Amino acid sequence: MASMMDAELKEMTQEERATALGMTTEQLNGRTMLIEFNEDEAERFTYPWAPDVDFNKRTELDTDNLTATQVNTRIRELMSEGYGSIVIQNPRGKHALGVGILNKLNLIVDGSLGYFGVGLIDGPTVRINGRVGWSCGENMMSGIIVIEKNAGSTFGAAIRGGDLVCKGSVGSRTGIDMKGGTIIVGGDTGAFSGFMMQRGRMVVCGNAGKNLGDSMYDGTIYVGGKIQSLGVDAVPAALTDLDKAWLTRKLTQYELMPEKGVDHFTKIVAGKQLWNYDNLEPAEKKLIL
């Protein structure tokens, strides 16, 4: 009997399977996430203890013989001295450089970073002239990060705000647990990108690996190339004029605008069938997945 039910479920569409298992397509409406603010209230945009820096005051920091802790400490010291533009020289792939910067800053990395580069930041503008390892920009709150070459896996994990841009290709699980902000990839992305995505927008100018948007709760993914496969509850949607205008503006801003424009992009959103996932019994969960 169970095998017959399994066979019937496999022949159904995702919506038919969800209905057969007692799930509903009703869209849940919670409290709005919209934040209203007065742009004149500067205290909402800076931390009360944040140093006042001058972007025209520039210095260089040679990190060749320094540990990651020493580098990060020195960055904070330079900001307290008023330096608003800092150039990191000889990073040599060190891990966890530039993390936890909660201040306005123009940070330039002349080279490549290792794992967990410039994570947990809130405010700085970062340009990395080389490559980055896993989890670059993890838990980024606001600001801009631009990587000129390639990036490793879990690029922008749990990002909450700002723009995270890689002009090359990235590894798997890009934007895993993404909670806001924008991730832009100039090349390809690996498998399970957008996994458990909750909010925000992801743009992939090249191809996307298998299980794109798997178990995504909300948010939007745009892909300019081929998609190997969609994950659970990720579905195509119509590309609107508003989508095209936003894509054009963002990609032009970071010099990643394709010659053929943005009309060819595929838009992926959440089917929202898993919004009622917790109501299923364990055996039913196994069947739906």
Side-chain angles (χ1 to χ4, degrees):
M1 186 70 176
S3 61
M4 291 179 60
M5 183 178 180
D6 290 349
E8 291 176 356
L9 285 170
K10 289 180 180 178
E11 294 178 357
M12 295 179 179
T13 65
Q14 180 168 290
E15 185 172 353
E16 290 171 340
R17 291 169 67 192
T19 303
L21 291 171
M23 298 179 71
T24 176
T25 58
E26 176 188 1
Q27 295 188 7
L28 306 181
N29 294 315
R31 187 174 62 181
T32 177
M33 299 295 289
L34 177 65
I35 300 176
E36 296 183 1
F37 60 88
N38 184 346
E39 61 182 7
D40 295 326
E41 296 180 8
E43 65 272 14
R44 291 188 177 226
F45 299 95
T46 59
Y47 292 93
W49 38 261
D52 187 15
V53 299
D54 181 0
F55 293 119
N56 293 319
K57 190 175 181 181
R58 178 187 175 108
T59 188
E60 297 177 350
L61 176 60
D62 191 337
T63 66
D64 198 11
N65 297 314
L66 301 178
T67 65
T69 300
Q70 290 172 330
V71 174
N72 293 333
T73 299
R74 186 58 184 146
I75 290 174
R76 284 161 176 74
E77 291 173 348
L78 291 171
M79 288 192 297
S80 67
E81 296 170 12
Y83 287 99
S85 296
I86 301 175
V87 181
I88 302 295
Q89 294 182 329
N90 300 312
R92 302 194 188 283
K94 289 187 176 72
H95 305 316
L97 286 192
V99 299
I101 300 175
L102 309 179
N103 203 79
K104 295 178 179 178
L105 178 68
N106 181 25
L107 183 66
I108 301 170
V109 180
D110 192 9
S112 299
L113 298 182
Y115 303 157
F116 300 103
V118 288
L120 297 164
I121 66 170
D122 193 359
T125 296
V126 183
R127 181 173 293 277
I128 300 169
N129 294 328
R131 301 179 297 275
V132 295
W134 292 352
S135 297
C136 178
E138 180 195 20
N139 275 293
M140 173 182 179
M141 296 292 289
S142 70
I144 296 173
I145 301 175
V146 179
I147 297 99
E148 293 294 331
K149 296 184 179 179
N150 298 327
S153 298
T154 61
F155 183 64
I159 181 177
R160 295 172 180 270
D163 287 356
L164 177 59
V165 183
C166 177
K167 293 191 174 182
S169 294
V170 299
S172 61
R173 296 180 183 267
T174 300
I176 180 175
D177 197 25
M178 185 176 179
K179 297 178 175 68
T182 302
I183 295 177
I184 301 177
V185 178
D188 301 334
T189 189
F192 284 95
S193 292
F195 178 59
M196 295 187 70
M197 181 178 186
Q198 297 178 36
R199 293 183 67 207
R201 286 176 281 197
M202 182 187 303
V203 183
V204 179
C205 296
N207 302 322
K210 63 181 180 180
N211 294 319
L212 177 70
D214 188 81
S215 300
M216 64 186 295
Y217 183 84
D218 212 335
T220 309
I221 303 174
Y222 303 95
V223 180
K226 296 180 180 179
I227 300 172
Q228 189 170 345
S229 68
L230 295 178
V232 173
D233 212 31
V235 297
L239 191 69
T240 67
D241 290 339
L242 190 61
D243 292 320
K244 295 176 184 178
W246 181 84
L247 283 168
T248 299
R249 179 172 62 84
K250 276 293 182 182
L251 294 177
T252 301
Q253 178 181 351
Y254 295 109
E255 300 178 343
L256 290 172
M257 186 66 177
E259 293 183 2
K260 56 183 177 180
V262 298
D263 291 350
H264 64 289
F265 274 79
T266 301
K267 179 180 177 181
I268 305 298
V269 298
K272 299 184 179 177
Q273 300 297 315
L274 295 181
W275 280 28
N276 299 283
Y277 182 77
D278 289 338
N279 295 331
L280 294 177
E281 295 296 328
E284 294 172 329
K285 291 180 180 180
K286 186 175 181 181
L287 289 173
I288 195 69
L289 295 176

